[in-house]
Amino acid sequence: MSRYLDMVNGPEQLKKLTLPQLQELAGEIREELIAGLAQSGGHLGPNLGVVELTIALHRVFNTPKDKFVWDVSHQVYVHKILTDRKDRFRTIRQTGGLNGFALRTESSHDSYGAGHAGTALSAALGMAAARDKRGTDENVICIFGDAALTNGISYEALNNIGHTTKKFIGILNDNEWSIAKNVGAIANYLNRLITNPRYNKLARDFDHFIRRFPKGDVALKLAHRAEGGFKGAITGVGLRQTGLALEADGRGGYGSPVIFEEMGLRYLGPIDGHDLPLLITTLEFAKACDHPIVIHILTQKGKGFEAAIKHPEKFHGLGPYDVETGDTPAPKPGAPPNYQDVMGQTLVKLCQKDNTLVGITAAMPTGTGLKHLEKAMPDRYYDVGIAEEHAVIFAAGMATMGFHPVVAIYSSFLQRAYDCIHHDVCLQDLPVIFCMDRSGLSANDGPTHHGLFDIAYLRCLPNVIAMAPKDEDELVDMMFTATREQHPTFIRYPRGGAEGTPIKDEPKLLEIGKAEVIQDFSKNGKRKVALFGLGNMNSLARKAAAQLAVEGFDCAVINPRFTKPLDAGTHELFGRAAEVIVTLEDHALMGGYGSAVLELFSEKDVTTPVVRIGWPDQFIEHASSVDELRKKYGLTVENTVAKVRAQFGEAATKVTKLIGVA
Ligand SMILES: Cc1ncc(C[n+]2csc(CCOP(=O)(O)OP(=O)(O)O)c2C)c(N)n1
């Protein structure tokens, strides 16, 4: 049977379909999302929630002339399908395939790239201001989730919209969920907007506007059905009952306009975000509106897939699953634990013995492993929303009062809080512990999520203690050691499965700034090479050492443990003893650990050549796996061995044939 989806490649074909046909198209797109992501995984739940919205947007507006700016942009799969990328949809997040986020280099329909939350309102306002300056007439439509309103930048933008432009369309896609359940006062506030019928009055001009349409009366009925307390009107989108008292906003009730109106935006809603005719009509109204407007739509994360509706957090973003049941493969028996779980479980144990410890996450309880603390000791756990800057300064505040906060944030998201790390934590030398998950690649996500810059951005800051464990047992030691420190400490570790090293019953206190010599030279008269493998690259250093030994070298292997303070003694000792030094790091070469070693050698006049293995000075694309990217960029045993041989004036042997560049 032919599908409308087969006929629609771009928005121009979509615009020719009738309403019932568009509704069928919505169903077909849902089927494609569910089937298409089953093998490779992806952000299924958020995309199932925006099918009607995306169709309505493309029905009413004209990209690429009109600009859609999506917050985070993990919910652009439907937009990709509808903008000439349908045939490549099943390559999404895989090597050479579509990126999982909006990407300006991928399509002219992607007007703004993202991956981090909270940027859309500012970017869209910038576009609107540029349009006004140019005197052109593009529409700029910003689509942001309820969780974007836990983020400070969103308010900075809202604060500026009213006095910057007259034409701005914001769509608040409210599904009550961040990755986990959305948190904080704003989530409660949105909840009150939805449950309080006083906000569901449709404005008179909207009413008049709808009547002008050929089937305006029908649309109006629909709209009023939504208005009529809303509760019965929304099919599939459960309207939430709140236990909050009506006066709960602390301003003597709800009589005043909603927050958006006070910030200079017209507010319309809430409306059913799965009601296609109503969405189209409302967007037409917004298009004609000569005042900044925000339309509050309610959607259901995972709509159309039972398992995703039941488990919104799991289906926010996941790996392969069964198309019928949504079941995901069980972990292989005996597989090493994930770093994030080791971190979370260790924090629980440490908290049990030390009352000063607390855990803080910025909306990532599962991704960071802090869910273990949330479950075991909820009174020691804080989820502050997508608010990395606040998380860090909040921790600094607690630290001034004798607490020892553990802030768990992915390496790339922590970039946003750099000034807070500098100004609030390091400058005041406060004992905040940072656990930086995803330090290294996040292969399927790509450049927005790779954590390849933290060593560089931290090692220039005074008072910092920065470490990287070679395995999960050492992660536990490092966390324990950090709790005994009175300075800012940072621990970087990669995404996913650890090494499979057994974890000791009791953690060991590490000496700050002391490297671990794993294998000394055997002094067998062969050519000496010292390999310094940082963190998860230590296993690569060990493998390269084994290969080099076979090829006639005498190798030492060192685990640097600390990128700051660097163990000057051990580096100098091996630097002078070896004929070639190799540094290996899962980080950008520029400014990273190898650079720190070069600086040290320059200071100490150590002239031994240094081969640095790490990521080149470019943004690394997404791919199906870490291994593929490592191969392409030369973070491999083969390339390490080849580079060492080259230092001795030897070509690579067959075994060490160079793969890719570096
Ligand atoms: C700065 C930053 N912190 C954390 C994240 C991780 N993250 C990705 S999506 C998301 C939740 C987004 O929720 P919402 O905007 O409401 O969209 P929904 O998925 O519910 O449609 C979070 C926390 C991120 N992308 N960027």
Side-chain angles (χ1 to χ4, degrees), residues 184-194 199 244 249 251 254 256-260:
I186 194 73
N188 290 336
Y189 175 74
L190 294 176
N191 208 2
R192 291 204 302 270
L193 280 186
I194 291 157
Y199 285 132
L244 291 169
D249 68 350
R251 296 180 310 174
Y254 290 92
S256 55
V258 291
I259 189 169
F260 301 104

Side-chain angles (χ1 to χ4, degrees), residues 49-50 53 57 69-71 75 118 120-121 140-151 154-155 158 161 168-178 182 185-194 230 234 237 240 258-261 263 265-274 279 282-283 286 292-300 386:
V50 296
L53 172 65
L57 282 166
V69 186
W70 306 83
D71 202 68
Q75 73 290 57
L121 282 157
V140 180
I141 302 99
C142 172
I143 305 104
F144 58 103
D146 47 305
L149 292 180
T150 62
N151 187 280
S154 297
Y155 295 93
L158 284 170
I161 292 173
F168 183 93
I169 301 170
I171 297 173
L172 165 56
N173 173 29
D174 182 0
N175 56 25
E176 287 186 88
W177 287 81
S178 183
N182 204 8
I186 194 73
N188 290 336
Y189 175 74
L190 294 176
N191 208 2
R192 291 204 302 270
L193 280 186
I194 291 157
F230 211 53
I234 301 187
V237 181
R240 19 301 195 194
V258 291
I259 189 169
F260 301 104
E261 302 240 328
M263 297 190 99
L265 283 100
R266 177 90 198 267
Y267 171 86
L268 202 61
I271 71 163
D272 180 353
H274 300 300
L279 277 174
T282 312
L283 289 176
I293 184 167
V294 63
I295 303 167
H296 183 182
I297 71 165
L298 294 191
T299 58
Q300 184 176 48
I386 313 178

Side-chain angles (χ1 to χ4, degrees), residues 46 71-72 74 115-117 145-148 173 175 177-179 301 316 362-364 386 388 413 416 449:
D71 202 68
V72 189
H74 60 303
H116 291 198
D146 47 305
N173 173 29
N175 56 25
W177 287 81
S178 183
I179 291 180
K301 222 164 171 166
H316 172 88
M364 309 290 287
I386 313 178
E388 287 79 8
F413 300 153
R416 174 160 294 175
H449 285 56

Side-chain angles (χ1 to χ4, degrees), residues 78-401:
V78 186
H79 166 75
K80 291 197 184 211
I81 289 173
L82 293 176
T83 50
D84 309 324
R85 285 168 278 180
K86 182 184 62 184
D87 296 341
R88 286 187 292 148
F89 175 60
R90 294 192 181 205
T91 68
I92 199 161
R93 292 161 57 86
Q94 295 165 55
T95 307
L98 295 178
N99 188 275
F101 299 93
L103 197 62
R104 281 169 58 77
T105 49
E106 193 179 281
S107 166
S108 60
H109 295 276
D110 291 5
S111 61
Y112 198 81
H116 291 198
T119 63
L121 282 157
S122 295
L125 182 57
M127 288 179 183
R131 173 207 54 209
D132 296 350
K133 278 245 174 308
R134 295 204 303 209
T136 48
D137 64 352
E138 304 90 326
N139 292 290
V140 180
I141 302 99
C142 172
I143 305 104
F144 58 103
D146 47 305
L149 292 180
T150 62
N151 187 280
I153 313 175
S154 297
Y155 295 93
E156 295 169 30
L158 284 170
N159 188 41
N160 275 277
I161 292 173
H163 65 261
T164 303
T165 185
K166 287 204 169 339
K167 261 198 101 49
F168 183 93
I169 301 170
I171 297 173
L172 165 56
N173 173 29
D174 182 0
N175 56 25
E176 287 186 88
W177 287 81
S178 183
I179 291 180
K181 188 87 177 159
N182 204 8
V183 294
I186 194 73
N188 290 336
Y189 175 74
L190 294 176
N191 208 2
R192 291 204 302 270
L193 280 186
I194 291 157
T195 46
N196 187 343
R198 280 164 77 175
Y199 285 132
N200 296 320
K201 295 274 173 281
L202 291 172
R204 213 180 296 158
D205 58 345
F206 181 63
D207 195 293
H208 286 157
F209 179 86
I210 294 185
R211 280 185 206 283
R212 295 201 331 245
F213 281 81
K215 290 198 175 145
D217 286 345
V218 180
L220 199 60
K221 244 188 226 153
L222 277 168
H224 277 298
R225 200 142 57 89
E227 182 196 299
F230 211 53
K231 295 183 175 93
I234 301 187
T235 45
V237 181
L239 229 259
R240 19 301 195 194
Q241 297 293 336
T242 168
L244 291 169
L246 271 189
E247 312 303 318
D249 68 350
R251 296 180 310 174
Y254 290 92
S256 55
V258 291
I259 189 169
F260 301 104
E261 302 240 328
E262 292 191 349
M263 297 190 99
L265 283 100
R266 177 90 198 267
Y267 171 86
L268 202 61
I271 71 163
D272 180 353
H274 300 300
D275 185 331
L276 197 50
L278 181 58
L279 277 174
I280 291 172
T281 313
T282 312
L283 289 176
E284 292 283 5
F285 174 75
K287 194 170 156 186
C289 202
D290 57 0
H291 198 275
I293 184 167
V294 63
I295 303 167
H296 183 182
I297 71 165
L298 294 191
T299 58
Q300 184 176 48
K301 222 164 171 166
K303 187 171 174 66
F305 193 39
E306 205 44 43
I309 293 170
K310 267 202 194 133
H311 308 287
E313 182 168 3
K314 176 176 170 188
F315 280 84
H316 172 88
L318 78 171
Y321 54 87
D322 184 284
V323 199
E324 299 303 324
T325 60
D327 291 345
T328 44
K332 284 193 194 116
N338 283 333
Y339 273 109
Q340 68 208 50
D341 290 321
V342 174
M343 135 69 193
Q345 286 154 357
T346 302
L347 185 55
V348 172
K349 284 191 194 147
L350 292 170
C351 280
Q352 282 160 349
K353 293 192 176 154
D354 182 346
N355 285 336
T356 68
L357 294 175
V358 295
I360 301 169
T361 175
M364 309 290 287
T366 301
T368 59
L370 276 202
K371 66 169 187 203
H372 295 288
L373 185 65
E374 178 187 18
K375 197 163 165 225
M377 306 174 84
D379 58 328
R380 306 280 283 280
Y381 163 86
Y382 297 89
D383 178 354
V384 298
I386 313 178
E388 287 79 8
E389 294 146 289
H390 166 60
V392 173
I393 304 176
F394 174 73
M398 289 196 85
T400 64
M401 304 284 283

Side-chain angles (χ1 to χ4, degrees), residues 7-15 58 81-84 109:
M7 290 150 47
V8 173
N9 286 317
E12 54 299 341
Q13 287 109 18
L14 177 146
K15 286 184 168 66
H58 279 292
I81 289 173
L82 293 176
T83 50
D84 309 324
H109 295 276

Side-chain angles (χ1 to χ4, degrees), residues 541-599:
R542 292 194 301 265
K543 284 179 200 150
Q547 178 65 30
L548 283 164
V550 173
E551 300 192 21
F553 295 88
D554 181 9
C555 293
V557 180
I558 297 100
N559 167 23
R561 278 188 180 149
F562 294 85
T563 52
K564 186 166 187 172
L566 204 60
D567 182 346
T570 303
H571 283 86
E572 190 180 348
L573 187 74
F574 282 89
R576 292 197 190 283
E579 287 161 75
V580 168
I581 294 287
V582 184
T583 62
L584 302 100
E585 61 194 303
D586 197 2
H587 184 276
L589 285 173
M590 197 160 280
Y593 161 64
S595 293
V597 172
L598 286 178
E599 286 170 22

